[in-house]
Amino acid sequence: MKIASIQKVSFIDYPDQIAAVLFCPYCNLRCPYCHNPELVFFTGKLVNEESIFSYLKSRVGTLEGVVITGGEPTLQKDLRDFIIKIKDMGFSVKLDTNGHNPKVLNTVIDIVDMIAIDIKTSCQKYKTIGGNCVILKESLNLLKDFKGDLILRTTLYPPMTTKDDLEEMKSFIPDDLKYSDWMYNEYRDIKTLEKYIKEHSEVSGEGALYTRF
């Protein structure tokens, strides 16, 4: 399992739980507002998996959960086995995903405790970031069978979340999908993927950003 970095303690990333946060490298989307651009184009040294489990073992009874985020965790083919190891240590697991790898998502929905899935924009605008709302809707349909706590998330990036975009996004959600919250996060114009690409010529080629708004 590829892990780019670890935040050893978080009080905000897993609702109502003290958790460690594991950041996976790489992503299959190119959201201009992404605040983890160094993960999208990751070139650093991966965290040794053994050291992760050693740390978690030392925090049994102190930490309650583990968040697996990114980047995009479902790009990791051994995600299920990795989660099982964490669960076997007694931790609950929250998975953050953009919903664009339903095949892998389907392998873990029976073992994770919480899933946060991003609903980013309307169908046409999804194409501009390398996304596909047909694939997203496939993931949302799979999640109708999820027995844990499901959260929907949207970052209010103005060019991608106009009033019309938001109305269309609501239509993505199956009527019988059960979720506890739809969180709207404020867009922060601080460190973004778009700025990162402008500053790093080595990643400015085709596919860096599909379309700039």
Side-chain angles (χ1 to χ4, degrees):
M1 180 77 175
K2 295 181 175 67
I3 301 296
S5 63
I6 177 173
Q7 181 179 339
K8 292 186 174 181
V9 180
S10 170
F11 297 95
I12 61 174
D13 291 278
Y14 198 142
D16 303 320
Q17 297 212 24
I18 303 172
V21 185
L22 306 178
F23 295 89
C24 296
Y26 318 122
C27 189
N28 46 0
L29 299 183
R30 296 291 183 268
C31 308
Y33 58 84
C34 174
H35 62 274
N36 285 323
E38 68 283 353
L39 294 176
V40 176
F41 301 108
F42 185 75
T43 58
K45 184 178 179 181
L46 296 170
V47 180
N48 181 274
E49 188 174 310
E50 185 177 330
S51 70
I52 293 172
F53 285 108
S54 177
Y55 171 71
L56 292 177
K57 183 178 180 180
S58 73
R59 293 298 182 268
V60 171
T62 303
L63 293 177
E64 300 166 285
V66 175
V67 179
I68 304 176
T69 187
E72 176 50 45
T74 64
L75 296 179
Q76 310 290 330
K77 294 181 180 179
D78 51 352
L79 180 62
R80 179 180 174 86
D81 291 340
F82 186 75
I83 291 173
I84 289 173
K85 290 179 183 179
I86 295 173
K87 294 283 291 183
D88 285 346
M89 299 177 75
F91 297 106
S92 58
V93 174
K94 172 178 177 272
L95 177 70
D96 293 343
T97 181
N98 60 32
H100 274 69
N101 198 341
K103 183 177 180 180
V104 173
L105 180 62
N106 195 39
T107 68
V108 301
I109 59 175
D110 63 323
I111 56 172
V112 296
D113 302 278
M114 177 179 285
I115 294 175
I117 185 168
D118 296 324
I119 314 296
K120 295 180 180 291
T121 188
S122 56
C123 283
Q124 191 61 38
K125 291 181 181 179
Y126 253 114
K127 296 177 183 178
T128 69
I129 59 171
N132 186 323
C133 67
V134 173
I135 294 174
L136 173 65
K137 289 175 183 178
E138 183 179 346
S139 290
L140 290 169
N141 278 312
L142 287 173
L143 289 170
K144 291 192 293 186
D145 296 324
F146 180 50
K147 305 302 182 185
D149 191 2
L150 176 63
I151 296 173
L152 312 182
R153 303 187 307 187
T154 297
T155 296
L156 294 174
Y157 177 61
M160 294 174 62
T161 53
T162 65
K163 182 178 179 181
D164 288 343
D165 292 328
L166 292 170
E167 284 300 314
E168 182 179 335
M169 291 154 64
K170 292 177 184 177
S171 72
F172 298 171
I173 313 304
D175 291 338
D176 51 349
L177 181 68
K178 297 179 180 178
Y179 57 94
S180 61
D181 194 10
W182 191 330
M183 299 175 60
Y184 294 94
N185 300 317
E186 183 180 357
Y187 163 60
R188 295 174 296 163
D189 187 18
I190 305 174
K191 179 180 67 172
T192 66
L193 183 69
E194 187 167 31
K195 290 181 179 180
Y196 182 89
I197 289 170
K198 290 178 179 178
E199 295 168 0
H200 294 78
S201 59
E202 70 274 14
V203 298
S204 61
E206 183 178 355
L209 280 179
Y210 289 93
T211 298
R212 287 187 173 85
F213 290 92

